[in-house]
Amino acid sequence: MANMAQAIRMALHYAEENLGVTDIFGEDVGAPLGGVFTCTQGLKTAWNSPLDERGIIGAAMGLAMAGARPVAEIQFCDYVYNTIDLLKLAGNTLWASNGQWNLPMVVMTPVGSGIRGSIYHSHSFDATMTHIPGWKTVMPSTPLDAYGLMLSACKEQNPVMFLIPKALMRVRGEELIPGEPGDDKQLSKLIDAPLGDRSKWTPQWPELADAAIPLGKAKVVREGRQLTVVSYGRTLPLAKKAADTLAGEGLDAEVIDLRTLWPYDWEAIVASVKKTGRVLFLNEDTEVTNFGEHLARRVTEKLFYHLLAPPKVLAGKFVPGIGLADTLEAASVPQQGDVEQAMRALAVMQP
Amino acid sequence: MANMAQAIRMALHYAEENLGVTDIFGEDVGAPLGGVFTCTQGLKTAWNSPLDERGIIGAAMGLAMAGARPVAEIQFCDYVYNTIDLLKLAGNTLWASNGQWNLPMVVMTPVGSGIRGSIYHSHSFDATMTHIPGWKTVMPSTPLDAYGLMLSACKEQNPVMFLIPKALMRVRGEELIPGEPGDDKQLSKLIDAPLGDRSKWTPQWPELADAAIPLGKAKVVREGRQLTVVSYGRTLPLAKKAADTLAGEGLDAEVIDLRTLWPYDWEAIVASVKKTGRVLFLNEDTEVTNFGEHLARRVTEKLFYHLLAPPKVLAGKFVPGIGLADTLEAASVPQQGDVEQAMRALAVMQP
Amino acid sequence: MARDAKKLKPVKEFKPITRSDELPLDAERLRFMHETMVKARCLEERLIAMYKSGHGYFWIGGPGEEAFNVPLGMLIKKGQGPAFDFCHFHYRQSATLLAMGEEPLGAIRQMKNTSTDPYSGGRNFAGHFSKKAWNIVPVSSPIEVQYSMVIGTAMAQKRLGGDAISIVTGGDAGTAEGDFATCLVWSSRPNEELPVLIIVTNNTWGISTPYDQVQGVERISDRGVPFGMRTKTIDGNDPISAYLELKEAFEYVRTERKPYLVEARVSRLYGHSSASGANFSTVEADCLSLFEERLDKHGVRAKAEAKRLREKYAEAYAELARQAKEEPFPDGATIWDHVYAGEPGKDPLAD
Amino acid sequence: MARDAKKLKPVKEFKPITRSDELPLDAERLRFMHETMVKARCLEERLIAMYKSGHGYFWIGGPGEEAFNVPLGMLIKKGQGPAFDFCHFHYRQSATLLAMGEEPLGAIRQMKNTSTDPYSGGRNFAGHFSKKAWNIVPVSSPIEVQYSMVIGTAMAQKRLGGDAISIVTGGDAGTAEGDFATCLVWSSRPNEELPVLIIVTNNTWGISTPYDQVQGVERISDRGVPFGMRTKTIDGNDPISAYLELKEAFEYVRTERKPYLVEARVSRLYGHSSASGANFSTVEADCLSLFEERLDKHGVRAKAEAKRLREKYAEAYAELARQAKEEPFPDGATIWDHVYAGEPGKDPLAD
Ligand SMILES: Cc1ncc(C[n+]2csc(CCOP(=O)(O)OP(=O)(O)O)c2C)c(N)n1
Ligand SMILES: Cc1ncc(C[n+]2csc(CCOP(=O)(O)OP(=O)(O)O)c2C)c(N)n1
Ligand SMILES: [Mg+2]
Ligand SMILES: [Mg+2]
């Protein structure tokens, strides 16, 4: 099955052909590299921009204003922070003009830890982004979701921030993308650029289908009765695996993949928490003024008298960076063991 | 008594004379204007920078590295968002260099609503700032606190973000700053620049004293037994007034002025919530991924079984901007009536 | 080998091309120009009067720039979409809109922040135009970001072919922001040059800060030279010169599909904004009076007639202001409208 | 009147001043230069070998730039505080550090992210130096921000007097970021010119993107011309030329206390970083081999001796790498150290 980089590439190909995407651009996004994570290899509208994130976001805004459909990439979300004013502007332009100027644009950027990225290739962006009104923000945890969410992003009339968990970029999916050949090697041969000279290479795209996943819909990845984990991105598979492990200990946990961070699927959270009375919000952004805290606050305010234990937030430590050494990274962002431990602790908590 | 602009000006004068402050700079910070809110009038080290926020923060970082003590102003926090990468860098430089390079620098910037600032002169910055590690962040609600916190900021070895609630800039204090003459008119004559030609004007500084307020210490503004309100900045006086009003209705509320947002006074919050069992976190930043949500989450996690009602967050609506018309502003950020209503609702909440 | 920078021509030395005695434009055009300048002046003076009498919270606008802004508007190809010119303006462009045929009532309504304000529905400050039907993208309060967005609309136009171009305006002080450089870099990429008319209106001030106190570039237009783009500095106080110079620039950009950087020297007749008092400056050249002198001398329009026009429009706009004063403010509940295109407005946290 | 930009001298046309037969530097200096270049090359090759054998996660460095970076280091006045030169480097500067007298072991430890890494304690990537004793400010991963910070250290030096200067280095692609323009604006303020040596090492690549595909400035040094600063483009592959050119530039900045923009043309011998394979490029000029030819021809150092030196350092650094491999990684609990200067490290949310 496709990995997430391939899934995004196929979605963008589909979007170029069928959804009117006109420009896929950013640093090293065009030939020959096709993106530092290969997400844009072989795409006909992909091009290399100057090394200037402000120009990238500004150009995307202008293109959207002129009726084009841009997908702009920030090479790592770690380098998006000199454009927050522009992101805010993109999010308020429709509102400020009282409904005149909507901006159909997608910004995609790899986020999070897990590839030994050290201080500047490990940042999370979900806390900062969910604080910016006017955007929709997604973060898939599987290739198929990445494919489906990217199609929806490219159909949107509003700006969409597409966060790609770096750690999951090379993980193969468990479900086929409609049109994708069953054999991984065959897929690679069709759409992965060769090493060495690529000047004569063109991809052979499979016949892909529209499998758009509506924005705002969570996915219950595992049903359970005793405890809910709400997560997304890199930490989602940790939660799933932990739930499987704890099932062996007699603890039945429900795992929800939020997939869209804003607007998020409140109904799915309510339904689950009403059932379990215990909820863990799990992500890897630093934990002060964190999006999980928003979710925890809302659950606490609205479902207080359904709760058997305080909602718990497990997130990244509030440190200035993720250090390169394994020991440092492991101590900074939730690992498999931390997730299991938090779930166990939450399950047994009693007044 | 001095207003907050005068208090900050006096603190900066004290800091120039006694604490080694070498540079007070930013857009229109020097003569003749002395800042768009007059916070820097007549200061001997104040100078006008180019209109470039990235240069302002970058210069402050460099000055701090070279042993100078800069106080940099961003004219409105609404214009700080193209420098978030630099603020993050300032916050991680000590950590990234494993303890070598600390940055003793202060950035000050007016925040919040209340002066009919429309979309771009009404932003709050507490949510974004408290998510950035390595900084200390303060936000006074009285002139005396502004004076004392600024002195501490100028003594710090670490970067300090000094947020000034615009709405309180011209409100006179109820306490004298040590050295300040008792008479307002006299104070104005001494330190306010005249209208018209200022080229020959120099201020007459009163003999000021060190009244530093330690960072990280909250102030209980009103003691009470039934309900706690934790706030800061523009909304703090609203909470105080609401508590006074509700006292007449038999509701005894405690009001805490956090003053330092990071690192904040956790002990003060714990002590109060243990006593009252009910807490309202009140600020005016937009309410998704909001600092009040962090406080609410921590209280919920740590004091769950002391709580008589869910901690409540009252903050700004999650809209892309604050509209100019009064009706829009009033609907967007907490007003006096909203605070009273939230307090009343919280006080009577029963399982 | 080292090169010392050639001494650049001082800003004040440029030679206006038509201070001579002949008027190289036909009388009809001159009269249209003059009447539009009068309208623009009267409109701004009405807005200032509204501010001073409490009918509006903040004024900012373009009195003093009419001699440049009117010709600019006359040369714009107005309409919607990339086949027409895109206008990325700053907040001093009312005269340009009037020259394009805009009704003055909208500006008056925006000043009064009524719900009828056609640009922002009472949300934004005076002078913050937005008109999708004419490709006038929303004026943003953050300085200079329009220079980053303009590259996007120009890209779409380059790709489309035809003769439509993108125009961006901003002030001298703002050129210190990185976005100005972004515009130069992106509009001059080899083989991807963009049809952008890059305009800087140099009034030698950024609020209270003189240009030459903080910037060492003598001719701002020279910033374009290393990028291989065509550049010039022109007299923005002479509408005839401005018209001819702009015409040449428009024609070049329209046909060559390459950028042109034009610096126009202009006056700032009522200070920066209402924040600095909005009083008439007696030391700056008044382009309107100067033009009226010339028109009178050449028999194109007698002084008495000019005076009559001023009175006529002053009265007409006073009447419009009286009308706007009766109009309603937007309802508080409308803050939720237009957060997202295509979706009904609602508080996402209300449930 | 319109000015078409003068056709700028194409980058490839600059005349190296010392390709001639005489070697205008004394033999001792030439031998020191050569030996330091050898050390630098061997060090980088060792780091690459470590990466390839799994002893480090990421490599980036400066092989190919030794002919420029060694002379640069030789001319720096090293020490702590504003009376000495400040170095704002990017990630290709190992040769400069060696020329300043730095021991190679630190770079090896940083590659292996051991707790003994003197620059970041195992936190940061290879090549991210930081040495307060020599004013080497921490190398930041975000491109170009050093150009904004350098203005601060240079300001402190300007004020102090004396001859110390600030030096900033970065790549060609990075000049598209606004920070490069910020540096030009702030270092050339009238009467406030700063003693900054602004260096761009132009290797004609930004990762996979050719410079001339995305930027239209033929000589990057020309970007300084409108700012009235002294500029030049030099041959960075010839250490003798580089030394003499840099010497002239250093002297100018030291004595005139004004900025100088130097563009140096250099090679990139092992690709961008380990992300692009870190394999030796056979198409780029190798400054070290070229220099060895000349030294041999002039009898300054025989080829055999040069070869012996290469072997000696290759072996010595292999030994250092073996030593570093035995050293411990930092303990996970140390993530809390150095968040704040002068305060013990602890999790602020642990209680
Ligand atoms: C990014 C940003 N920083 C600061 C401000 C505050 N501000 C508004 S106008 C202005 C001065 C602008 O001067 P200039 O660019 O010369 O334009 P002018 O007003 O003179 O036409 C400043 C500093 C702002 N609006 N945006
Ligand atoms: C702000 C920012 N954007 C993107 C990156 C990712 N990145 C790292 S190096 C690089 C290319 C830099 O090219 P150049 O400035 O020419 O320097 P060189 O590596 O060629 O010496 C890029 C895009 C980054 N580190 N920082
Ligand atoms: Mg100006
Ligand atoms: Mg390069």
Side-chain angles (χ1 to χ4, degrees):
Chain A
M1 322 279 170
N3 64 30
M4 202 179 282
Q6 292 171 321
I8 290 169
R9 206 189 300 154
M10 288 191 280
L12 292 174
H13 168 67
Y14 185 90
E16 282 179 340
E17 297 291 338
N18 303 289
L19 305 178
V21 162
T22 54
D23 292 84
I24 299 167
F25 67 104
E27 295 156 14
D28 305 293
V29 156
L33 195 57
V36 289
F37 289 100
T38 73
C39 292
T40 53
Q41 278 184 353
L43 294 168
K44 71 179 184 193
T45 68
W47 51 273
N48 292 323
S49 76
L51 203 175
D52 173 20
E53 290 76 16
R54 294 186 64 74
I56 292 169
I57 302 296
M61 292 171 71
L63 283 163
M65 285 170 166
R69 261 206 172 270
V71 177
E73 178 178 277
I74 300 295
Q75 197 164 70
F76 292 88
C77 83
D78 312 63
Y79 304 126
V80 79
Y81 291 94
N82 59 345
T83 72
I84 305 297
D85 61 324
L86 295 173
L87 298 182
K88 285 170 71 77
L89 192 62
N92 74 28
T93 294
L94 178 72
W95 191 91
S97 65
N98 207 22
Q100 293 181 67
W101 292 90
N102 65 309
L103 298 182
M105 59 189 268
V106 178
V107 176
M108 63 181 197
T109 189
V111 299
S113 68
I115 62 157
R116 277 101 178 207
S118 184
I119 308 175
Y120 271 98
H121 301 76
S122 304
H123 267 95
S124 291
F125 193 45
D126 38 309
T128 305
M129 196 60 218
T130 52
H131 189 65
I132 304 179
W135 284 74
K136 301 191 174 180
T137 298
V138 304
M139 185 160 173
S141 78
T142 71
L144 185 61
D145 282 354
Y147 181 82
L149 291 168
M150 183 58 89
L151 296 195
S152 289
C154 293
K155 294 176 181 186
E156 256 290 327
Q157 292 307 310
N158 298 290
V160 177
M161 178 62 65
F162 195 98
L163 306 179
I164 313 173
K166 284 196 275 305
L168 305 181
M169 197 80 91
R170 301 263 167 270
V171 178
R172 308 215 150 270
E174 296 173 1
E175 300 148 305
L176 273 185
I177 289 164
E180 172 193 1
D183 179 56
D184 291 353
K185 290 228 179 77
Q186 199 193 334
L187 178 66
S188 177
K189 221 154 145 183
L190 292 172
I191 69 166
D192 289 347
L195 296 178
D197 181 23
R198 296 168 172 186
S199 57
K200 283 179 196 80
W201 173 74
T202 46
Q204 308 271 280
W205 298 104
E207 201 61 54
L208 295 161
D210 187 346
I213 294 170
L215 303 186
K217 281 271 158 262
K219 183 166 72 179
V220 179
V221 167
R222 187 188 190 287
E223 293 202 21
R225 289 166 300 110
Q226 289 168 280
L227 168 68
T228 303
V229 185
V230 178
S231 189
Y232 46 82
R234 182 185 71 83
T235 52
L236 194 280
L238 303 185
K240 177 133 188 303
K241 190 166 167 213
D244 291 341
T245 304
L246 296 185
E249 301 172 16
L251 177 65
D252 186 27
E254 179 145 310
V255 178
I256 295 179
D257 187 346
L258 210 50
R259 303 197 296 189
T260 302
L261 277 51
W262 192 269
Y264 58 85
D265 193 342
W266 174 236
E267 284 69 34
I269 296 172
V270 170
S272 185
V273 175
K274 278 191 175 161
K275 178 170 63 172
T276 63
R278 296 172 194 268
V279 57
L280 171 68
F281 294 103
L282 171 63
N283 68 60
E284 63 168 325
D285 204 335
T286 49
E287 64 174 322
V288 176
T289 312
N290 174 295
F291 178 54
E293 296 184 320
H294 163 71
L295 297 172
R297 175 287 272 204
R298 192 168 177 199
V299 161
T300 307
E301 277 189 8
K302 304 288 176 175
L303 302 174
F304 192 66
Y305 301 110
H306 290 92
L307 292 172
L308 302 173
K312 164 88 188 150
V313 173
L314 179 61
K317 299 294 183 202
F318 193 55
V319 282
I322 292 182
L324 178 58
D326 269 359
T327 44
L328 301 177
E329 177 163 330
S332 303
V333 284
Q335 306 296 317
Q336 189 66 51
D338 302 322
V339 176
E340 288 169 16
Q341 202 183 310
M343 286 168 68
R344 273 195 205 96
L346 188 59
V348 300
M349 210 165 188
Q350 297 295 347
Chain B
M1 323 280 170
N3 64 29
M4 202 179 283
Q6 292 171 321
I8 289 169
R9 206 189 302 153
M10 288 192 280
L12 290 174
H13 169 69
Y14 185 91
E16 283 179 340
E17 297 292 337
N18 302 289
L19 305 177
V21 162
T22 54
D23 292 83
I24 299 167
F25 67 104
E27 295 155 15
D28 305 293
V29 156
L33 196 57
V36 289
F37 289 100
T38 73
C39 292
T40 53
Q41 277 183 354
L43 295 167
K44 70 179 184 192
T45 67
W47 51 273
N48 291 324
S49 77
L51 202 174
D52 172 21
E53 290 76 16
R54 294 186 64 75
I56 291 169
I57 302 296
M61 292 171 72
L63 283 163
M65 284 171 166
R69 260 206 172 270
V71 177
E73 179 178 277
I74 300 294
Q75 197 164 70
F76 292 88
C77 83
D78 313 63
Y79 304 126
V80 79
Y81 291 92
N82 60 346
T83 72
I84 304 298
D85 61 323
L86 295 173
L87 298 182
K88 284 170 72 76
L89 192 62
N92 73 28
T93 294
L94 178 71
W95 192 90
S97 64
N98 207 21
Q100 293 181 67
W101 291 89
N102 66 308
L103 298 182
M105 59 189 268
V106 178
V107 176
M108 65 181 197
T109 189
V111 299
S113 68
I115 61 157
R116 277 99 178 211
S118 184
I119 308 176
Y120 271 98
H121 301 77
S122 303
H123 267 94
S124 291
F125 192 46
D126 38 311
T128 304
M129 196 60 216
T130 53
H131 189 64
I132 303 179
W135 284 75
K136 302 191 175 181
T137 298
V138 304
M139 185 158 172
S141 77
T142 71
L144 185 61
D145 282 354
Y147 181 83
L149 291 169
M150 183 58 90
L151 296 194
S152 290
C154 293
K155 294 176 181 186
E156 256 290 326
Q157 292 307 309
N158 299 289
V160 177
M161 178 62 63
F162 196 98
L163 305 179
I164 313 172
K166 283 195 279 302
L168 305 180
M169 197 80 89
R170 301 263 167 268
V171 178
R172 309 216 149 269
E174 295 172 2
E175 301 147 305
L176 272 185
I177 289 164
E180 173 194 358
D183 179 58
D184 292 353
K185 290 229 179 76
Q186 199 193 335
L187 177 66
S188 177
K189 222 159 147 177
L190 292 172
I191 69 168
D192 289 346
L195 294 179
D197 182 23
R198 296 169 173 186
S199 58
K200 287 185 191 73
W201 172 74
T202 45
Q204 307 271 281
W205 298 105
E207 201 61 54
L208 296 161
D210 188 347
I213 294 170
L215 304 186
K217 283 270 158 261
K219 183 165 73 179
V220 178
V221 166
R222 185 186 192 288
E223 293 203 22
R225 289 166 301 106
Q226 289 168 281
L227 168 67
T228 303
V229 184
V230 178
S231 189
Y232 45 82
R234 182 186 71 84
T235 52
L236 194 280
L238 303 186
K240 179 136 187 304
K241 190 165 167 215
D244 291 343
T245 304
L246 296 187
E249 302 172 16
L251 177 66
D252 186 25
E254 178 144 311
V255 179
I256 295 179
D257 187 347
L258 209 50
R259 303 198 295 190
T260 302
L261 278 50
W262 192 268
Y264 60 85
D265 193 341
W266 173 236
E267 284 69 34
I269 296 173
V270 170
S272 185
V273 175
K274 279 191 175 162
K275 177 170 64 173
T276 63
R278 296 172 193 270
V279 58
L280 170 68
F281 295 102
L282 170 64
N283 68 61
E284 62 168 325
D285 204 335
T286 49
E287 63 174 323
V288 177
T289 313
N290 174 294
F291 178 55
E293 297 185 319
H294 163 71
L295 297 172
R297 176 285 273 204
R298 192 169 177 197
V299 160
T300 307
E301 277 188 10
K302 305 287 178 179
L303 302 174
F304 192 65
Y305 301 111
H306 290 92
L307 292 171
L308 302 173
K312 166 87 188 149
V313 173
L314 178 61
K317 299 294 185 203
F318 193 55
V319 282
I322 292 182
L324 178 57
D326 268 0
T327 44
L328 301 177
E329 177 163 330
S332 303
V333 285
Q335 306 296 317
Q336 189 66 50
D338 303 322
V339 176
E340 287 169 17
Q341 201 182 311
M343 287 169 68
R344 273 194 205 97
L346 188 60
V348 301
M349 209 163 187
Q350 297 295 345
Chain C
M1 296 282 83
R3 278 171 297 137
D4 270 311
K6 68 176 186 312
K7 264 288 153 239
L8 298 168
K9 224 166 156 189
V11 179
K12 294 198 171 133
E13 267 180 35
F14 67 84
K15 286 275 178 303
I17 56 168
T18 56
R19 289 289 193 200
S20 75
D21 269 341
E22 305 116 81
L23 299 185
L25 293 177
D26 58 277
E28 194 186 341
R29 202 182 304 244
L30 291 171
R31 281 193 288 261
F32 172 82
M33 240 176 205
H34 170 256
E35 184 161 345
T36 312
M37 288 171 68
V38 168
K39 285 162 79 170
R41 180 66 58 85
C42 290
L43 175 59
E44 293 288 9
E45 289 179 340
R46 175 47 47 197
L47 299 180
I48 292 170
M50 286 175 72
Y51 166 76
K52 291 190 172 175
S53 60
H55 291 285
Y57 299 123
F58 180 76
W59 167 82
I60 193 161
E65 297 193 5
E66 298 89 348
F68 179 78
N69 285 339
V70 166
L72 179 63
M74 292 167 71
L75 291 158
I76 286 169
K77 187 181 161 189
K78 81 181 182 202
Q80 186 167 344
F84 299 89
D85 292 350
F86 270 96
C87 303
H88 298 260
F89 290 160
H90 74 150
Y91 42 70
R92 301 209 190 275
Q93 226 70 46
S94 58
T96 308
L97 268 92
L98 293 178
M100 292 170 77
E102 182 63 334
E103 291 299 328
L105 181 56
I108 287 171
R109 287 170 158 163
Q110 188 169 44
M111 183 69 204
K112 181 71 189 164
N113 49 87
T114 58
S115 65
T116 53
D117 152 22
Y119 311 120
S120 71
R123 293 173 174 189
N124 217 340
F125 278 158
H128 285 57
F129 300 106
S130 163
K131 185 166 177 130
K132 194 158 185 179
W134 292 355
N135 283 348
I136 294 168
V137 314
V139 171
S140 101
S141 290
I143 292 281
E144 219 65 8
V145 292
Q146 66 273 27
Y147 289 84
S148 284
M149 290 185 283
V150 70
I151 58 190
T153 55
M155 264 180 217
Q157 292 169 320
K158 176 89 171 200
R159 194 174 300 152
L160 182 68
D163 65 356
I165 70 170
S166 289
I167 302 140
V168 60
T169 63
D172 49 298
T175 61
E177 298 272 6
D179 295 278
F180 184 67
T182 285
C183 188
L184 301 177
V185 169
W186 285 67
S187 61
S188 63
R189 287 180 301 149
N191 308 313
E192 304 281 349
E193 293 85 353
L194 297 178
V196 200
L197 179 52
I198 309 170
I199 292 170
V200 178
T201 47
N202 183 351
N203 61 16
T204 77
W205 291 103
I207 305 188
S208 71
T209 306
Y211 175 78
D212 61 6
Q213 183 185 94
V214 290
Q215 289 203 51
V217 174
E218 291 184 71
R219 288 222 309 208
I220 293 174
S221 61
D222 284 330
R223 292 275 304 267
V225 174
F227 296 87
M229 67 179 63
R230 200 180 266 220
T231 64
K232 62 183 168 185
T233 293
I234 69 167
D235 183 357
N237 273 331
D238 174 350
I240 299 174
S241 160
Y243 183 87
L244 296 172
E245 294 283 16
L246 277 169
K247 192 156 172 291
E248 187 261 350
F250 267 95
E251 275 162 13
Y252 174 87
V253 180
R254 286 201 197 290
T255 56
E256 298 295 320
R257 319 302 290 156
K258 286 184 181 169
Y260 201 136
L261 171 54
V262 175
E263 172 193 6
R265 295 295 311 274
V266 296
S267 291
R268 194 181 72 167
L269 272 188
Y270 282 87
H272 176 70
S273 69
S274 57
S276 56
N279 296 316
F280 188 79
S281 161
T282 51
V283 298
E284 305 239 356
D286 177 353
C287 61
L288 182 52
S289 309
L290 290 170
F291 192 39
E292 288 178 349
E293 294 280 349
R294 287 168 80 198
L295 293 180
D296 182 66
K297 185 167 145 205
H298 289 271
V300 179
R301 176 162 280 156
K303 276 198 177 171
E305 167 71 359
K307 185 154 176 282
R308 206 191 53 75
L309 279 172
R310 288 233 209 180
E311 286 160 3
K312 170 180 148 189
Y313 287 111
E315 178 40 39
Y317 299 165
E319 180 49 36
L320 292 180
R322 280 189 290 274
Q323 174 186 332
K325 280 170 208 170
E326 302 306 316
E327 294 176 349
F329 293 116
D331 189 88
T334 63
I335 60 170
W336 299 112
D337 295 345
H338 311 303
V339 176
Y340 291 112
E343 298 177 17
K346 65 166 208 303
D347 183 348
L349 300 188
D351 56 345
Chain D
M1 296 282 83
R3 278 169 297 136
D4 269 310
K6 68 175 186 310
K7 263 287 154 241
L8 298 168
K9 225 168 158 189
V11 179
K12 294 202 168 126
E13 266 180 36
F14 66 83
K15 286 276 179 301
I17 57 168
T18 57
R19 288 288 195 202
S20 75
D21 269 340
E22 306 115 79
L23 298 186
L25 294 177
D26 58 278
E28 196 185 342
R29 201 182 303 244
L30 291 170
R31 281 193 289 260
F32 172 81
M33 238 176 206
H34 171 255
E35 184 161 345
T36 311
M37 287 171 68
V38 168
K39 285 163 80 170
R41 180 67 57 86
C42 291
L43 175 59
E44 293 287 11
E45 289 180 339
R46 173 48 45 195
L47 299 179
I48 291 170
M50 287 175 71
Y51 166 75
K52 291 191 172 177
S53 60
H55 292 283
Y57 298 123
F58 179 76
W59 168 82
I60 195 162
E65 298 193 4
E66 297 89 348
F68 179 79
N69 285 340
V70 166
L72 178 63
M74 291 168 70
L75 290 158
I76 286 169
K77 186 180 164 191
K78 81 182 183 202
Q80 185 168 343
F84 299 89
D85 292 350
F86 270 96
C87 303
H88 298 260
F89 290 159
H90 74 149
Y91 43 71
R92 302 208 191 275
Q93 226 70 44
S94 58
T96 308
L97 269 93
L98 293 177
M100 292 170 78
E102 182 64 333
E103 291 299 327
L105 181 58
I108 288 171
R109 287 170 157 161
Q110 188 169 44
M111 182 70 205
K112 180 71 189 164
N113 49 87
T114 60
S115 65
T116 52
D117 152 21
Y119 311 120
S120 72
R123 294 173 174 189
N124 217 340
F125 277 158
H128 286 56
F129 300 106
S130 163
K131 185 166 177 133
K132 193 158 185 177
W134 292 356
N135 282 350
I136 294 168
V137 315
V139 171
S140 100
S141 289
I143 292 280
E144 220 65 8
V145 292
Q146 67 272 27
Y147 289 84
S148 283
M149 290 186 283
V150 70
I151 58 190
T153 55
M155 264 181 216
Q157 291 169 321
K158 175 89 172 202
R159 194 174 300 153
L160 183 68
D163 66 355
I165 71 171
S166 288
I167 301 140
V168 60
T169 64
D172 49 297
T175 60
E177 297 273 5
D179 295 279
F180 184 68
T182 285
C183 187
L184 301 177
V185 169
W186 286 68
S187 61
S188 63
R189 287 179 301 149
N191 309 313
E192 304 281 350
E193 293 86 353
L194 297 178
V196 200
L197 179 52
I198 309 171
I199 292 170
V200 178
T201 48
N202 184 350
N203 61 16
T204 75
W205 291 104
I207 304 188
S208 71
T209 305
Y211 175 79
D212 61 6
Q213 182 184 96
V214 290
Q215 288 203 51
V217 174
E218 292 184 69
R219 288 219 312 206
I220 294 175
S221 62
D222 284 330
R223 294 272 307 265
V225 173
F227 296 87
M229 67 179 64
R230 200 179 265 220
T231 63
K232 63 183 167 184
T233 294
I234 69 166
D235 183 357
N237 273 330
D238 175 350
I240 299 174
S241 160
Y243 182 88
L244 296 172
E245 294 283 16
L246 278 169
K247 193 158 171 289
E248 187 262 350
F250 266 94
E251 276 162 13
Y252 174 87
V253 181
R254 286 202 198 292
T255 56
E256 298 295 321
R257 318 303 290 156
K258 287 184 179 169
Y260 202 135
L261 172 54
V262 175
E263 172 193 8
R265 294 295 312 272
V266 296
S267 292
R268 193 180 74 166
L269 272 188
Y270 281 88
H272 176 70
S273 69
S274 56
S276 56
N279 297 314
F280 189 79
S281 160
T282 51
V283 298
E284 305 239 357
D286 177 353
C287 60
L288 182 53
S289 308
L290 290 170
F291 192 40
E292 288 179 349
E293 294 281 349
R294 287 168 79 197
L295 292 181
D296 181 68
K297 186 168 144 204
H298 289 271
V300 178
R301 177 162 279 156
K303 277 199 177 169
E305 167 71 359
K307 186 154 175 280
R308 208 191 52 74
L309 279 172
R310 288 233 209 178
E311 286 160 3
K312 171 180 147 188
Y313 286 111
E315 177 40 40
Y317 297 165
E319 180 49 38
L320 292 180
R322 280 188 289 272
Q323 175 186 332
K325 281 171 206 168
E326 302 306 316
E327 294 177 350
F329 294 117
D331 189 88
T334 63
I335 60 169
W336 299 112
D337 296 345
H338 312 303
V339 176
Y340 291 113
E343 299 178 16
K346 65 167 208 300
D347 183 349
L349 300 188
D351 58 341

